[in-house]
Amino acid sequence: MDRNVVVPGDLLSEEAKKAGEGTYVKDGKVRSLLYGMVSSYKDKVRVIPLAGKYVPSPGDTVIGTVQDIVFSNWIVDINSPYEGLLHISELPRKIEMNEMAKYLRIGSSVMIRVKDVDSTMKVELTMNDRRLGILTRGRVAEISPTRVPRLIGKGGSMINMLKKELNCNLFVGQNGRIWVDGGDDDMDLALKTILIIEKEAHTTGLTDRILEFLRAEKEARS
């Protein structure tokens, strides 16, 4: 599907099974939940918001920051108008409630997944996956969530190129937060590059220009 600007309520598909991020189903039809760009991805129709904060959706992997600890839950900032709740049962191992502050402290950064979002926008999180966990190293950058698809690129073209050219580990959360881990100089270059991509996301030929930029930067270092 070609990308087009849609507004809330616009009809996107007659097939409910195609409902993706930024959409809702009414009377068996998929409609836009947001003002944004409509596109297809893995047989799903989704709407990428042109403005605004991240709207969580089940299955999203995000980077969050622990804000508070309440009875059996951590409250996690996920760069959204809606705070996330991580229940003690959603950890990879069993801990007691009196150990919560030792396991995950306020201010800790975590790679985490959205488990469920109900009709009141209560966001349930999980860390019960070996690929998720506490980020004890590296740095976390933040861009507009609307720029995440451009940072990833069509078919992963941009992010794969960055992983190849940068001597860093990279993870892009769907909430606009990016984790970078490597040497100080490499992380500096990675974060500088990410900010350029965010600023120039609307332009064409960006992947090639970023590749030229990175190679020039690395040549200047040598």
Side-chain angles (χ1 to χ4, degrees):
M1 177 184 292
D2 293 333
R3 291 190 175 189
N4 296 297
V5 175
V6 293
V7 298
D10 277 359
L11 177 65
L12 304 178
S13 175
E14 301 280 348
E15 300 178 65
K17 66 181 181 180
K18 290 190 174 182
E21 178 184 352
T23 72
Y24 68 97
V25 176
K26 184 177 181 181
D27 298 328
K29 299 178 181 180
V30 182
R31 296 184 180 275
S32 177
L33 182 66
L34 309 168
Y35 167 62
M37 302 287 285
V38 63
S39 68
S40 294
Y41 180 71
K42 293 185 178 179
D43 296 323
K44 297 287 186 181
V45 179
R46 64 178 183 172
V47 178
I48 302 166
L50 292 177
K53 284 282 191 175
Y54 163 67
V55 179
S57 181
D60 286 355
T61 302
V62 300
I63 294 173
T65 305
V66 177
Q67 286 189 313
D68 201 358
I69 303 172
V70 296
F71 181 75
S72 73
N73 282 281
W74 288 271
I75 297 175
V76 184
D77 165 31
I78 53 172
N79 195 30
S80 170
Y82 315 103
E83 64 189 16
L85 294 175
L86 175 64
H87 191 267
I88 194 172
S89 63
E90 293 296 333
L91 298 182
R93 66 181 180 86
K94 184 177 180 180
I95 68 167
E96 302 298 326
M97 278 195 288
N98 61 4
E99 299 177 305
M100 289 179 68
K102 296 179 182 178
Y103 187 83
L104 263 183
R105 300 177 180 177
I106 293 173
S108 296
S109 294
V110 288
M111 190 183 298
I112 207 159
R113 182 170 295 126
V114 178
K115 181 181 180 182
D116 191 36
V117 183
D118 69 13
S119 59
T120 66
M121 294 307 295
K122 176 184 176 183
V123 183
E124 296 181 19
L125 304 171
T126 184
M127 210 161 66
N128 195 12
D129 186 311
R130 63 183 179 82
R131 293 168 292 183
L132 308 174
I134 307 168
L135 299 176
T136 57
R137 304 179 310 177
R139 304 180 198 169
V140 175
E142 188 173 302
I143 64 173
S144 169
T146 62
R147 300 307 197 207
V148 167
R150 190 65 192 91
L151 180 58
I152 294 171
K154 187 175 182 180
S157 58
M158 180 71 84
I159 193 65
N160 288 335
M161 182 272 287
L162 293 177
K163 289 178 178 179
K164 181 180 178 181
E165 295 295 326
L166 291 166
N167 189 28
C168 289
N169 291 318
L170 286 168
F171 172 77
V172 182
Q174 287 164 284
N175 61 336
R177 288 184 180 151
I178 301 102
W179 174 69
V180 180
D181 184 33
D184 286 340
D185 289 344
D186 294 322
M187 286 193 291
D188 286 344
L189 179 57
L191 295 175
K192 182 179 179 180
T193 305
I194 288 166
L195 293 178
I196 293 172
I197 294 169
E198 179 185 30
K199 183 179 179 181
E200 301 184 13
H202 60 288
T203 62
T204 58
L206 183 58
T207 302
D208 290 339
R209 292 204 310 279
I210 291 296
L211 178 58
E212 291 176 6
F213 165 76
L214 288 173
R215 290 181 175 174
E217 287 287 313
K218 289 190 290 184
E219 186 177 344
R221 287 186 186 182
S222 59

